[in-house]
Amino acid sequence: AGRRALVRRLAAVEALGRVDVACADKTGTLTTGRLAVRVVAGPDGATAPPDRLEPPLTAVLLTAALASPHPDAAHARSRPTDVAIVEAAERAGLDGGLRAMRAAEMPFASSRGFHAAQVDGRVVVKGAAEVLAPRCTHVRRGSDAVAIGEVEREALLARAEAIASDGLRVLMVAETTANSAPENPQELVALGFVGIADPLRAAVPDAVRRCAAAGVRVVMLTGDHPATARAIAREAGLPVEGDAMLTGAEVADLDDEALAERLERASVVARSTPVDKVRIVEALKRRGHVVAMTGDGVNDAPALRLADVGVAMGRTGTEVAREASDVVLADDDFSTLVEALVEGRGFWANMRRSLGLFLGGNLGELGMIAGATVAGLASPLTTRQLLAVNLVTDVLPATALAVQEPEHRELGGLVREGSSGLDKPLRNDIISRGVATAVPSLGAYLVAQRTMSPLRARSVAFASIVTTQLGHTLDLGRVEGRLSGSVVGAVAASATFTAVAIAGPGVRGFLGFAIPGPLGLALVLAAALSAVAMGRALRPGPAPGRIAS
């Protein structure tokens, strides 16, 4: 929460540690979400910024604003695209015209790809060029509507792509006076295009790099034109060549198996819809991926529910999306999702450290007692003393390891799906720590048994088993080459308790100890140093907190 990623379901922390595909919305997550009209263009080449318009480009911007909710309507600010267009029209001095009443209206939907309204006896439309161009039978040139054919319609699509290649969201603007309803406008007259900028967030390229370095593949999802998506993805550092680009139309044409195979190489899905999101999550999960999916709208809720980690936007997201999510990004920023992934992998690393210490130490205690029994000696520890060992070594040190900050704030190695807390590397670490705890402690006890009284020998056994495990705690507790404060504090507190248990008159009598003397202290120190050295020798690989890719 301190890093603006709010976890709504605690189980999501475990899933965050295993995410290897992050599907992110472009608008508002990878980009700032602060949309602004940058260019207004005619169908044949005339282009101008919205603050320097002359006819007929003024009519293009005004028509685009009319094909948006009325500025005074309750839902007028529900879509950032509409807000950007209306605000540009107002700044251009078109306030009076854009407040004309809409006799009928068909709001934008991704399945339709356009917004239409009936105003003053005509239907005005703005939307995706590939949706509207095939409906155009004329193009506006000056005050005339000139009939066009297939070649001219292809030219309109090329014009839209040229604007989109600059990273702008491009909307085609058209109208019709034919007997056509807003629900299904036909015989359109193409007026021009509006190009809207939505800058990439400054932190996104570095966040994408961090994901790639840690084995997390980022897939950008957007409803924008493929050329717009390609330009933004290239700026973000995502692959855009060849099979890296996919469109919503291609998603719809592919069967489930073909889509799953195709997504293995995709990093951008343009013109995507909420339905596409569901199919994308299903396909990725079938291939064994652990998927994080972002969303903000009501229609995104099914994909958020289906994903291993559903991520909703805190600022712009709907309540439905937040309720369907596992994690909410308070600032809607993709780099915040990366911080959440860091915390998830940090959870796994800390869990492995704690398990390595906890189970390795208990295995060492069993090994020391079993070794003494085989040697025909009395048990090194009584039941009461053994409980004291567990109290000292299992509570504070293991807890300190569990709450450490993730290393370097980087993602670290990838946690494969199906990885459990007791995978082979961790089992080997537990066994090596168990041996490295049992052998030095048993050796110290055997020497003490021959040279000291039984009470002093048990004091040596107790102090040896504790200090060897505290030595392992210090060995495991190094983050970024230094010991964390929580680990140092836990070791200091445990060492103090051990000293009080052996030297404090009341506690010493209760636990059945005696002060071990100089030889006993030397044996304890030798056992602790030997345990750390032996543990490192038996464990040539990385510490259990470091998860190999």
Side-chain angles (χ1 to χ4, degrees):
R3 296 182 182 274
R4 301 179 300 281
L6 312 178
V7 177
R8 299 186 66 253
R9 297 182 178 87
L10 193 57
V13 176
E14 181 268 344
L16 279 167
R18 297 188 292 111
V19 166
D20 65 337
V21 178
C23 298
D25 279 334
K26 179 187 78 70
T27 303
T29 305
L30 296 177
T31 61
T32 62
R34 295 190 290 272
L35 277 63
V37 175
R38 286 286 180 266
V39 65
V40 180
D44 296 326
T47 302
D51 56 346
R52 293 200 296 272
L53 296 180
E54 295 181 0
L57 295 184
T58 303
V60 176
L61 181 57
L62 177 58
T63 303
L66 289 172
S68 304
H70 192 282
D72 300 328
H75 62 290
R77 306 189 70 84
S78 61
R79 294 189 68 245
T81 302
D82 294 330
V83 173
I85 290 174
V86 171
E87 288 180 348
E90 290 174 338
R91 287 194 296 270
L94 304 176
D95 304 56
L98 65 88
R99 278 176 163 74
M101 294 306 297
R102 282 70 164 163
E105 188 173 6
M106 180 55 60
F108 177 85
S110 56
S111 58
R112 285 191 298 270
F114 64 84
H115 185 127
Q118 190 169 10
V119 184
D120 297 334
R122 60 183 179 136
V123 174
V124 293
V125 189
K126 75 174 190 301
E130 57 266 37
V131 174
L132 298 186
R135 298 170 181 251
C136 290
T137 57
H138 294 74
V139 64
R140 179 71 67 190
R141 292 197 176 101
S143 59
D144 298 325
V146 180
I148 60 173
E150 193 61 35
V151 173
E152 289 83 3
R153 281 189 281 270
E154 290 294 331
L156 290 173
L157 294 174
R159 181 88 165 110
E161 183 162 358
I163 298 171
S165 64
D166 291 330
L168 299 178
R169 173 180 293 184
V170 59
L171 295 174
M172 187 173 179
V173 183
E175 66 178 1
T176 180
T177 56
N179 186 18
S180 181
E183 293 83 0
N184 187 27
Q186 299 292 333
E187 299 183 36
L188 295 178
V189 179
L191 302 183
F193 304 89
V194 175
I196 301 174
D198 185 11
L200 192 73
R201 291 180 184 269
V204 165
D206 183 61
V208 170
R209 177 198 60 77
R210 292 169 67 190
C211 287
V216 178
R217 185 157 57 90
V218 177
V219 180
M220 185 181 84
L221 307 177
T222 177
D224 286 345
H225 191 286
T228 307
R230 183 179 290 107
I232 295 296
R234 185 180 287 113
E235 187 179 352
L238 293 172
V240 295
E241 304 303 328
D243 286 348
M245 284 288 300
L246 188 62
T247 67
E250 291 174 305
V251 170
D253 289 341
L254 295 170
D255 60 33
D256 292 344
E257 187 57 37
L259 176 61
E261 195 278 331
R262 182 76 170 74
L263 286 170
E264 291 295 321
R265 303 183 300 279
S267 59
V268 181
V269 183
R271 292 299 193 210
S272 62
T273 68
V275 174
D276 295 334
K277 283 188 172 185
V278 172
R279 290 198 64 207
I280 288 168
V281 173
E282 290 175 336
L284 289 169
K285 290 178 71 173
R286 277 196 302 272
R287 300 284 287 206
H289 294 291
V290 181
V291 183
M293 171 67 75
T294 71
D296 55 9
V298 172
N299 292 336
D300 291 331
L304 295 178
R305 286 281 191 195
L306 185 62
D308 297 285
V309 182
V311 183
M313 303 299 108
R315 288 181 179 175
T316 59
T318 61
E319 185 62 28
V320 172
R322 288 195 289 269
E323 285 296 321
S325 69
D326 304 296
V327 176
V328 176
L329 303 184
D331 56 3
D332 296 6
D333 194 334
F334 178 75
S335 61
T336 301
L337 174 57
V338 176
E339 293 299 325
L341 296 177
V342 169
E343 294 292 339
R345 293 197 180 183
F347 158 80
W348 274 88
N350 288 342
M351 180 187 70
R352 293 164 67 86
R353 290 188 182 101
S354 296
L355 283 173
L357 177 69
F358 180 82
L359 297 180
N362 280 269
L363 183 62
E365 294 164 22
L366 291 173
M368 183 181 70
I369 294 172
T373 301
V374 170
L377 302 175
S379 175
L381 299 170
T382 65
T383 303
R384 188 176 295 177
Q385 293 165 352
L386 188 60
L387 289 173
V389 169
N390 290 330
L391 178 65
V392 174
T393 60
D394 294 346
V395 178
L396 289 178
T399 302
L401 291 176
V403 298
Q404 291 189 105
E405 278 286 307
E407 294 186 81
H408 309 292
R409 295 307 307 175
E410 290 293 339
L411 284 172
L414 178 63
V415 183
R416 298 295 181 188
E417 185 186 18
S419 294
S420 68
L422 291 175
D423 55 18
K424 185 176 180 180
L426 182 54
R427 289 197 300 271
N428 292 340
D429 184 81
I430 290 169
I431 293 170
S432 67
R433 291 194 186 279
V435 172
T437 298
V439 172
S441 301
L442 179 60
Y445 176 64
L446 292 175
V447 174
Q449 186 73 11
R450 293 176 180 275
T451 57
M452 302 177 186
S453 67
L455 287 182
R456 285 190 171 183
R458 279 186 167 162
S459 299
V460 169
F462 175 81
S464 296
I465 201 74
V466 169
T467 54
T468 55
Q469 294 189 57
L470 294 184
H472 290 312
T473 303
L474 293 174
D475 188 39
L476 285 166
R478 293 187 178 276
V479 177
E480 298 183 11
R482 59 181 176 80
L483 289 169
S484 65
S486 61
V487 170
V488 172
V491 169
S494 297
T496 300
F497 180 87
T498 303
V500 170
I502 293 176
V507 181
R508 183 177 70 226
F510 175 74
L511 293 175
F513 290 135
I515 297 176
L519 176 59
L521 293 176
L523 289 172
V524 171
L525 180 59
L529 295 175
S530 299
V532 174
M534 185 179 295
R536 290 180 176 178
L538 293 173
R539 181 180 41 80
R546 296 181 179 274
I547 306 166
S549 298

